[in-house]
RNA sequence: GCUCGAAUGGUGGAAUUGGUAGACACGAAGGACUUAAAAUCCUUUGGCUAUUGCAGCUGUGGGGGUUCAAGUCCCCCUUCGAGUACCA
């Protein structure tokens, strides 16, 4: 009987649906295991062969865990909000909801063919109101919370208000924007608007005037991780800096916890490192420089406090508020010109053009340690958003300061013994300090760093600065607050309305605020975001709130928030919703959350390292503070699957002809390589007829063949339509079946590694499955297996397999597992094995990899239940024992021959036997061995 | 520039974590079956030198080192990939 994968796979996929084989319910009796794939954005192009790679890996793991008796949660859903659907809508007028749902259906169809064990009853889509209700709800929670830096957690803002009423803000330790101290009395005398304005500085979700990445072409702001090389990640349009009033999330308050949390996680070191760099913690010193003949104090941040005697100028960021105060009348015009010029430049231009630029402010600061006058400059190499937006420049020991000093001919004062700063600065944190000014330590500061190492000098300076109240030791983070507003249509609407220009939250029981219909998806004529086009909002809800709060804001045309949330909003807590997707009363029920806790295994690409994986961790930590979730980290173990690249094929056209020359003959002609659709190429041989039919211009193509065949060239490129190298999983399934596709994708190599898709090896895997099938059935359909007792040899082959696969799956070493299957089946074939007992266990072990054929064969073995209700077999060491063990005998480390010894032979016996062996005598040549090393079960090395 | 990571046959990739390379698969060559093809099965397959003595030498990007023993550990160099970039 032939192995008919089409019928088998269809049959079982239907059975799984009918019997709800993969439905998961909470079961306190069983240990839980939560595996999760990063859910896909359903793009119009459908799935290509690279997408399922991670899903297959998780599927294997999920099935394996289920066989081990775990209650496994393996859900799937869609990150359905996003830019491409909206861009498409703008171009075609097609509503994004329609294209999105069409794309989802296509995805689902493709996914179903691969045979995953997802529990589709738990599917979520971020664009569904009963899902985004909880995104909105979490946002409201953030709005009504502040971050307490003493208790190190988020707390309700009501508590803070009560403190303000009693004590003002002097005793409050909170992560804030810029706030000045106030008393209880002052607070109580404020108008509501004033109080709200003040509270905005404390809220975790707050409305802030910030410099944002504005993309004019897309008409929206972008988060830092959405900007790559100064252009937008989507579309590659220029991005400029612009000050706007935007919703922000106080992610920076969690910087330290986000950093500390990494230590407990089972993630790859490189990914943790990426996150650490992104968080960018740096310990340093804040120092205050008094400005000469002024009461302005300049605060700077430095990690090199030890270089304070090498400061020869100060630099302010052009955006700094101090610029205005410090510019002297004489310099006013020049400074104005410079500041406005930098404003016009896009991020990209700033990066591309590394020319040194700057302008003198006219003012001088006083070095607090030497009382020396230091000129204050303004330059865009200092960033407003980091530290204090001002630096003390030490050209001798910082390359950027050095370039600036050289350009404007400022003094360079070396502080490290023996360093040469004539050509470049000496940035290394090593060496012995010199040049501490005598005047400084004799009279004023009494700080002498001469003779100290850099590390010692930093400590000494820090201590001195703190003791003399010249500043303080602080820690700075690179991680900024996340900008949370997007001027888009296709996203979650904010549950926010305005009163007197101040935002208020729509109460939780009135959520969700549904996304309204709009006429068209572009901004309004007055420049409002697309939601400004909405005529029919969820007006009832909104009106109710506004009426309840009496005064409708007359100043604002739109009393409701018109921005929508960014892409990462919906993906930040979706893993929690999978636990309890139909709950109407909560994001996730407390008990259900107690059961599933967090994701045990998360699989997805590294591209989310600084976006999703930071935001989701932040979001989860916030919900943890609110006692919504019971674990502080959402993803315990994370595996990054590599990207599948395309493998493009080429034909070579001889210049100015319609003749194509085969790969190895192409050197003889002048040729142009042309991409050819990989689907009409097999093992690099071109299907000539298909090629002629592919496009009209090739209809009369002629060929110069080698050995009667046309061989194509190839290259690894990104998988994309324009390279004609997209391989659709449906095609592979049609030709080989889902089980072959699954096993082949895993066989390709380690899942963490990026690799080109190459169909050349798929026959090997397919052959293996067919060979297995042929052990069950002859061609004529006779069933070959019998209820005979397995032989010792067969048991050994089987248990070797069980052992190998059990440990491989835990380490995601699926490619070697598949090799083990091939070896095992080959051995069983050679042994003419027909024992049902052997195959029963073999099928169970195979089931995670190739579920369809496993079910089919399981049924043939007489089972009435699904193979996934079986128990994962344990291997028995007894069967693996060898009677004799082969030792490699080497002399001075060079292997010479092998000898068999009984398994239980001890070292002395082996040593003795080896020395007495005839062949050994030949190698020893009568000398006395200096040393004999016996490595158990492996090697005997004789040193002569 | 900085931070990670990698480099093994014609190809994808193995190697019990320091134990004597190249598992498994593809491809290729030869053979069996067949009128023929496909499918299937068998043999060979890192290189070099031998071959009616079943062997020898060499070999994991390059150069040094540690060790009885190095693809694996240490130092230097080369190349490639990923992330990040005026972060003071």
């Amino acid at each position: 009987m032939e192995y008919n994968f089409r019928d088998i796979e269809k049959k079982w996929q239907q059975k799984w649906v009918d019997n709800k084989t993969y439905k998961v319910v909470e079961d306190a009796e069983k240990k839980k295991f939560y595996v999760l794939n990063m859910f896909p954005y359903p793009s119009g192009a459908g799935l290509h062969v690279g997408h399922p790679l991670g899903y297959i890996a998780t599927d294997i793991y999920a099935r394996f865990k289920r066989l081990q008796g775990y209650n496994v949660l393996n859900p799937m859903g869609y990150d359905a909000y996003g830019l491409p659907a909206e861009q498409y809508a703008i171009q075609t007028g097609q509503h994004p909801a329609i294209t999105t749902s069409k794309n989802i259906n296509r995805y689902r169809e493709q996914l179903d063919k691969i045979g995953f064990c997802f529990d589709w009853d738990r599917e979520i889509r971020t664009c569904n109101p009963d899902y985004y209700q909880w995104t909105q709800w979490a946002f409201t929670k953030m709005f009504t919370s502040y971050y307490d830096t003493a208790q190190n957690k988020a707390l309700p803002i009501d508590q803070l208000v009560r403190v303000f009423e009693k004590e003002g803000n002097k005793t409050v330790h909170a992560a804030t924007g810029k706030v000045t101290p106030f008393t209880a009395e002052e607070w109580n005398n404020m108008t509501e608007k004033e109080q709200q304005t003040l509270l905005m500085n404390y809220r975790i979700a707050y409305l802030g005037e910030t410099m944002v990445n504005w993309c004019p072409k897309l008409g929206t702001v972008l988060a830092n991780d959405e900007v790559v090389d100064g252009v937008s990640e989507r579309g590659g349009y220029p991005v400029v800096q612009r000050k706007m009033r935007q919703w922000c999330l106080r992610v920076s308050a969690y910087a330290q916890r986000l950093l500390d949390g990494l230590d407990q996680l089972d993630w790859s070191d490189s990914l943790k490192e990426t996150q650490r760099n992104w968080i960018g913690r740096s310990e340093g010193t804040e120092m205050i420089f008094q400005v000469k003949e002024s009461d302005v104090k300049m605060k700077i941040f430095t990690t090199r406090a030890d270089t304070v005697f090498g400061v020869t100028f100060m630099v302010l960021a052009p955006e700094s508020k101090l610029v205005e105060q410090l510019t002297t009348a004489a310099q006013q015009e020049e400074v104005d010109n410079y500041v406005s010029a930098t404003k016009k430049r896009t991020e990209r231009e700033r990066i591309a053009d590394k020319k040194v630029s700057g302008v003198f402010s006219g003012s001088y600061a006083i070095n607090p340690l030497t009382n020396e006058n230091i000129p204050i400059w303004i330059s865009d190499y200092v960033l407003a958003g980091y530290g204090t937006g001002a630096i003390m420049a030490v050209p001798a020991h910082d390359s950027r300061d050095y370039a600036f000093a050289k350009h404007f001919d400022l003094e360079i004062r070396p502080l490290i013994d023996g360093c040469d700063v004539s050509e470049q600065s000496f940035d290394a944190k090593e060496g012995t300090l010199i040049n501490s000014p005598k005047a400084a330590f004799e009279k004023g500061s009494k700080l002498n760093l001469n003779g100290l190492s850099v590390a010692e000098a930093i400590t000494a300076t820090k201590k001195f600065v703190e003791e003399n109240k010249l500043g303080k030791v602080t820690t700075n983070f690179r991680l900024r607050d996340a900008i949370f507003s997007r001027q888009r249509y296709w996203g979650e609407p904010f549950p926010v309305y305005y009163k007197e220009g101040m935002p208020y939250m729509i109460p939780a029981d009135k959520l969700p605020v549904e996304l309204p219909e709009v006429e068209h998806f572009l901004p309004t004529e007055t420049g409002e975001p697309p939601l400004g086009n909405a005529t029919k909002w969820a007006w009832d809800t909104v009106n109710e709130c506004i009426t309840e709060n009496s005064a409708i804001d007359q100043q604002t045309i739109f009393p409701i928030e018109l921005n929508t949330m960014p892409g990462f909003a919906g993906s930040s807590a979706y893993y929690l919703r999978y636990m309890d997707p139909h709950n109407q009363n909560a994001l996730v029920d407390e008990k259900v959350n107690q059961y599933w806790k967090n994701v045990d295994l998360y699989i997805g690409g590294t591209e989310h390292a600084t976006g999703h994986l930071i935001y989701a961790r932040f979001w989860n930590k916030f919900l943890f503070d609110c006692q919504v979730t019971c674990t502080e980290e959402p993803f315990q173990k994370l595996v990054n699957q590599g990207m599948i690249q395309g493998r493009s094929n080429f034909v070579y056209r001889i210049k100015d002809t319609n003749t194509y020359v085969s790969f190895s003959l192409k050197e003889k002609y002048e040729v142009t390589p042309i991409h050819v659709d990989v689907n009409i190429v097999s093992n690099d041989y071109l299907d000539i007829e298909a090629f002629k039919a592919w496009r009209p211009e090739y209809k009369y193509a002629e060929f110069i063949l080698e050995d009667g065949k046309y061989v194509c060239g190839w290259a690894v490129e990104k998988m994309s339509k324009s390279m004609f190298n997209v391989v659709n999983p449906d095609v592979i399934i049609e030709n080989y079946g889902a089980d072959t596709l699954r096993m082949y994708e895993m066989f390709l190599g380690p899942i963490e590694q990026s690799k080109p898709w190459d169909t050349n090896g798929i026959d090997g895997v397919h052959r293996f499955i067919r060979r297995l099938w042929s052990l069950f059935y002859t061609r004529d359909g006779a069933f070959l297996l019998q209820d005979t007792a397995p032989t010792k040899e067969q048991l050994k082959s089987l248990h070797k397999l069980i052992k190998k696969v059990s440990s491989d799956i835990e380490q995601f070493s699926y490619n070697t597992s598949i090799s083990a299957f091939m070896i095992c089946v080959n051995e069983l074939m050679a042994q003419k094995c027909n024992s049902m007992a052997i195959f029963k266990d073999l099928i169970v072990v195979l089931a995670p990899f190739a579920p369809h054929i496993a079910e089919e064969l399981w049924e043939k073995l007489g089972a009435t239940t699904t193979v996934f209700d079986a128990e994962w077999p344990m291997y028995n060491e007894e069967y693996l024992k060898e009677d004799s063990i082969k030792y490699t005998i080497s002399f001075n480390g060079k292997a010479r021959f092998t000898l068999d010894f009984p398994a239980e032979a001890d070292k002395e016996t082996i040593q003795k036997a080896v020395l007495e062996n005839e062949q050994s005598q030949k190698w020893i040549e009568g000398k006395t061995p200096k040393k004999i090393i016996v490595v158990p079960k492996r090697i005997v090395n004789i040193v002569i």
Side-chain angles (χ1 to χ4, degrees):
Chain A
M1 192 165 60
E2 276 295 307
Y3 163 55
N4 186 337
F5 53 84
R6 287 193 192 90
D7 291 351
I8 292 170
E9 289 174 3
K10 213 169 142 197
K11 168 181 161 190
W12 286 100
Q13 284 168 10
Q14 192 55 49
K15 281 207 178 189
W16 294 335
V17 173
D18 294 346
N19 301 335
K20 288 197 178 290
T21 308
Y22 303 124
K23 185 162 174 57
V24 188
V25 285
E26 290 71 44
D27 180 353
E29 301 291 301
K30 275 177 160 179
K31 276 194 284 180
K32 70 99 185 186
F33 202 91
Y34 187 0
V35 298
L36 184 65
N37 294 288
M38 290 186 186
F39 62 168
Y41 172 79
S43 84
L47 290 174
H48 67 63
V49 106
H51 292 111
L53 185 79
Y55 307 156
I56 295 170
T58 21
D59 195 68
I60 291 170
Y61 202 81
R63 289 173 186 273
F64 167 67
K65 279 285 163 188
R66 174 168 170 173
L67 284 162
Q68 282 193 330
Y70 286 85
N71 194 20
V72 179
L73 178 56
N74 181 26
M76 183 46 96
Y78 305 96
D79 189 11
Y81 276 134
L83 230 46
E86 182 163 346
Q87 295 289 71
Y88 188 74
I90 290 168
Q91 284 158 24
T92 64
Q94 177 93 277
H95 197 286
I98 295 170
T99 38
T100 302
S101 108
K102 209 168 90 192
N103 292 346
I104 287 177
N105 291 340
R106 171 96 181 95
Y107 265 57
R108 177 66 192 274
E109 219 174 87
Q110 288 184 294
L111 288 172
D112 280 346
K113 284 189 193 159
I114 304 172
F116 292 119
C117 63
F118 297 129
D119 177 0
W120 284 106
D121 286 353
R122 291 177 186 253
E123 182 202 287
I124 57 176
R125 301 176 183 194
T126 53
C127 65
N128 276 0
D130 52 0
Y131 176 80
Y132 67 67
Q133 166 178 6
W134 299 105
T135 312
Q136 293 177 340
W137 173 80
F139 173 80
T140 338
K141 272 254 176 214
M142 290 180 195
F143 181 78
T144 52
S145 301
Y146 77 104
Y147 195 86
D148 189 300
T149 49
Q151 293 183 52
N152 238 322
K153 63 190 276 200
L155 292 171
I157 203 141
D158 299 350
Q159 286 186 22
L160 189 68
V161 172
R162 262 173 264 138
V163 176
F164 286 173
E165 285 164 355
K166 280 190 204 139
E167 312 169 22
N169 72 346
K170 288 188 186 101
T171 54
V172 169
H173 297 279
T176 63
K178 281 208 172 102
V179 286
T180 43
F182 56 83
T183 62
E185 203 191 345
E186 283 170 316
W187 169 263
N188 292 326
N189 287 332
M190 285 180 200
T191 63
E192 190 192 340
K193 189 172 174 174
E194 285 169 341
Q195 289 182 340
Q196 287 298 321
T197 310
L198 218 151
L199 281 177
M200 202 52 95
N201 290 311
Y202 289 86
R203 299 184 189 277
I204 288 179
Y206 64 97
L207 209 46
E209 286 276 341
T210 47
M211 292 303 283
V212 296
N213 304 304
W214 172 256
C215 179
K217 193 89 190 178
L218 292 172
T220 188
V221 303
L222 297 168
N224 284 340
D225 67 281
E226 293 167 324
V227 180
V228 179
D229 292 335
V231 297
S232 67
E233 189 186 23
R234 288 232 176 248
Y237 303 118
V239 171
V240 295
Q241 296 297 302
R242 191 165 151 182
K243 202 160 214 175
M244 283 178 77
R245 199 175 186 222
Q246 299 283 317
W247 282 106
C248 302
L249 302 184
R250 211 175 289 285
V251 180
S252 60
Y254 283 84
Q256 188 63 51
R257 277 168 69 186
L258 287 169
L259 188 65
D260 294 342
L262 288 173
D263 297 339
Q264 314 305 321
L265 296 178
D266 195 1
W267 294 14
S268 74
D269 289 338
S270 69
L271 187 65
K272 285 187 189 179
E273 199 56 32
T274 306
Q275 288 219 340
R276 284 193 192 106
N277 291 340
W278 189 260
I279 295 167
R281 184 192 146 103
S282 73
E283 283 180 27
T285 319
E286 259 180 24
M287 272 190 245
I288 295 160
F289 283 62
Q290 183 70 46
V291 177
K292 195 185 171 192
E293 290 158 11
S294 157
D295 48 8
V296 177
K297 287 179 163 61
M298 227 177 125
K299 207 199 267 178
I300 60 96
F301 175 79
T302 180
T303 53
R304 292 292 303 271
D306 59 311
T307 59
V308 67
F309 294 132
V311 178
T312 53
F313 58 101
M314 311 286 286
V315 188
L316 277 175
E319 298 89 352
S320 169
K321 279 181 184 146
L322 291 180
V323 168
E324 213 177 301
Q325 299 173 47
L326 296 185
T327 304
T328 57
Q331 294 297 106
Q332 190 69 47
E333 198 185 333
E334 217 181 314
V335 170
D336 285 350
N337 287 344
Y338 182 71
V339 170
S340 63
T342 41
K343 254 188 201 159
K344 279 189 205 132
R345 301 172 84 194
T346 64
E347 185 84 349
R348 173 144 223 179
E349 283 164 350
R350 268 174 80 152
I351 292 168
D353 166 25
K354 287 206 169 173
K355 267 185 217 146
V356 178
S357 70
V359 62
F360 179 47
S361 72
S363 295
Y364 291 85
I366 300 162
N367 187 327
L369 281 90
T370 60
N371 292 330
E372 196 179 356
N373 289 345
I374 308 164
I376 302 172
W377 287 68
I378 296 157
S379 172
D380 67 358
Y381 85 89
V382 173
L383 304 178
Y386 184 76
T388 60
I391 60 156
M392 61 177 212
V394 185
H397 302 294
D398 181 287
S399 53
R400 295 152 304 178
D401 298 345
Y402 186 86
F404 195 85
K406 279 274 173 189
H407 189 264
F408 289 104
D409 202 18
L410 300 163
E411 190 195 344
I412 297 166
R413 195 183 295 166
L415 297 174
I416 302 227
D417 195 17
C419 74
D420 173 18
V421 294
S422 59
E423 290 299 322
Q424 55 179 353
S425 60
F426 182 83
D427 291 13
K429 285 189 175 186
E430 56 197 39
T432 309
L433 274 91
I434 51 165
N435 286 348
S436 287
K438 247 187 191 162
F441 58 79
E442 279 176 357
K443 279 190 272 169
S445 68
K446 292 183 189 132
L447 179 66
N448 182 3
L449 301 175
N450 286 345
L452 300 182
S453 73
V454 169
E456 289 164 347
I458 290 176
T459 316
T461 316
K462 275 182 177 172
K463 197 175 155 211
F464 186 85
V465 165
E466 291 232 298
E467 281 173 356
N468 293 280
K469 305 229 174 346
L470 301 172
K472 60 174 184 186
V473 173
T474 53
T475 303
N476 252 313
F477 292 93
R478 203 188 80 115
L479 185 72
R480 317 285 172 81
D481 288 350
I483 293 160
F484 203 60
S485 301
R486 295 291 181 277
Q487 292 68 41
R488 310 299 305 184
Y489 172 71
W490 192 232
E492 298 86 349
F494 281 89
V496 172
Y497 65 93
Y498 286 87
K499 198 171 79 177
E500 291 181 55
M502 292 309 295
Y504 291 83
M505 292 298 121
I506 287 167
D509 61 353
K510 298 217 166 56
L511 297 179
V513 172
E514 293 203 21
L515 185 67
E517 290 303 320
V518 290
E519 295 272 316
H520 54 92
F521 306 99
L522 288 168
T524 67
E525 281 171 14
T526 51
E528 297 290 347
L531 285 190
N533 293 317
T535 45
K536 268 185 157 176
W537 263 90
W539 280 114
D540 294 345
T541 313
V542 179
N543 284 338
E544 232 173 87
C545 294
I546 295 169
T547 327
E548 276 169 19
N549 288 279
S550 66
I552 295 178
D553 178 23
Q554 298 298 326
Q555 266 105 42
T556 319
I557 306 161
F558 299 100
I560 188 158
E561 176 68 57
L562 296 179
N563 285 304
T564 53
M565 298 185 191
F568 66 83
S571 57
S572 287
Y574 74 111
Y575 54 91
L576 289 171
R577 192 61 181 167
Y578 279 135
M579 297 174 186
D580 199 5
H582 308 297
N583 193 330
Q584 299 286 320
N585 306 314
L587 167 62
V588 53
D589 178 79
E590 200 188 322
K591 282 209 181 101
V592 174
N593 180 253
Q594 282 287 343
Y595 180 71
W596 293 112
K597 291 195 171 66
N598 58 0
V599 178
D600 296 284
L601 173 66
Y602 195 30
I603 298 197
T606 13
E607 66 272 21
H608 297 108
T610 53
H612 165 62
L613 287 173
I614 292 270
Y615 298 126
R617 290 182 63 221
F618 153 74
W619 203 283
N620 189 78
K621 280 177 192 294
F622 171 73
L623 292 177
F624 175 77
D625 290 350
C626 300
Q627 290 165 1
V628 176
T629 93
C630 61
T631 49
E632 199 175 334
E633 285 291 342
F635 315 118
Q636 190 51 45
K637 183 178 172 75
L638 187 133
V639 173
N640 287 120
Q641 102 262 15
M643 295 256 270
I644 298 261
Q645 296 135 313
R647 187 178 186 278
S648 312
N649 275 115
F650 297 92
V651 291
Y652 302 92
R653 187 176 65 197
I654 300 174
K655 220 179 164 190
D656 303 323
T657 68
N658 201 13
T659 303
Y660 300 82
V661 58
S662 187
F663 179 74
S664 39
L665 305 172
K666 73 177 171 20
E667 305 305 332
K668 295 179 190 163
Y669 305 87
E670 196 177 334
V671 295
T672 325
I674 297 170
H675 276 99
V676 57
D677 188 346
V678 293
N679 294 297
I680 58 171
V681 177
S682 164
N683 286 354
D684 291 336
Y685 294 125
L686 181 70
D687 180 338
I688 288 173
E689 289 313 310
F691 179 71
K692 285 181 174 174
W694 184 39
R695 300 186 140 195
E697 65 260 41
Y698 301 136
K699 198 169 172 189
Y700 302 106
E702 290 177 15
F703 302 89
I704 298 174
L705 307 176
E706 48 185 307
D707 302 330
K709 282 170 172 171
Y710 189 97
V711 181
C712 298
W714 60 274
V716 173
E717 294 172 308
K718 194 175 178 266
M719 201 175 267
S720 89
K721 272 186 182 168
S722 61
M723 314 276 194
F724 300 107
N725 60 8
V726 175
V727 182
N728 188 314
D730 300 359
V731 175
I732 306 286
I733 291 173
E734 183 54 31
N735 294 333
Y736 295 96
D739 285 336
T740 301
L741 172 75
R742 292 168 60 104
M743 291 193 89
Y744 182 59
E745 290 222 4
M746 294 301 104
F747 187 61
L748 227 40
I751 42 172
E752 295 94 335
Q753 217 168 78
S754 285
K755 58 230 152 190
W757 175 262
D758 180 352
T759 322
N760 289 351
I762 199 167
D763 290 316
V765 174
H766 192 62
R767 235 168 258 158
F768 153 76
I769 294 180
R770 300 244 298 249
R771 219 174 287 155
L772 174 67
W773 182 265
S774 75
L775 283 167
F776 277 67
Y777 282 101
T778 63
R779 277 185 186 213
D780 322 319
F783 190 61
L784 290 165
L785 299 193
Q786 284 171 18
D787 209 355
T788 49
T791 66
K792 211 178 155 188
E793 213 187 354
Q794 291 164 0
L795 282 166
K796 190 173 162 189
S797 293
L798 173 70
H799 284 253
K800 223 162 60 185
L801 175 77
I802 299 171
K803 185 178 182 180
K804 176 84 178 132
V805 173
S806 303
S807 75
D808 276 357
I809 292 186
E810 288 292 1
Q811 294 159 40
F812 302 92
S813 211
Y814 298 131
N815 54 336
T816 50
S817 285
I818 292 165
S819 297
F821 279 114
M822 291 174 175
I823 295 167
C824 181
V825 165
N826 283 345
E827 283 177 5
L828 293 178
M829 253 176 135
Q831 294 158 16
K832 300 201 167 33
C833 174
N834 65 351
S835 162
M836 287 176 85
I838 293 284
F839 284 101
K840 263 193 172 153
D841 280 352
L842 179 94
I843 293 305
V844 175
V845 178
L846 180 72
F849 297 88
H852 309 88
I853 191 175
E855 288 273 29
E856 181 71 14
L857 295 177
W858 186 245
E859 193 183 61
K860 305 285 186 209
L861 289 169
T864 51
T865 56
T866 171
V867 65
F868 298 103
D869 290 331
E871 210 175 297
W872 186 262
M874 292 294 291
Y875 65 87
N876 189 337
E877 287 285 359
E878 278 302 305
Y879 298 131
L880 299 177
K881 271 194 183 158
E882 303 275 352
D883 295 335
S884 67
I885 291 166
K886 235 179 203 39
Y887 280 80
T888 305
I889 316 300
S890 5
F891 298 87
N892 289 338
K894 214 159 216 17
R896 291 302 173 184
F897 58 97
T898 61
L899 280 180
D900 284 350
F901 287 100
E904 65 278 2
D906 61 13
K907 274 191 183 182
E908 283 72 29
T909 323
I910 293 170
Q911 282 185 0
K912 215 174 140 198
V914 168
L915 286 179
E916 284 166 3
N917 182 280
E918 253 179 67
Q919 292 189 66
S920 302
Q921 291 298 335
K922 206 174 84 192
W923 288 103
I924 294 169
E925 293 172 335
K927 292 171 197 152
T928 321
K930 287 180 191 149
K931 217 195 237 178
I932 303 169
I933 293 139
V934 178
V935 180
K937 297 184 185 178
R938 289 192 181 283
I939 282 163
V940 182
N941 190 18
I942 298 155
V943 186
I944 306 164

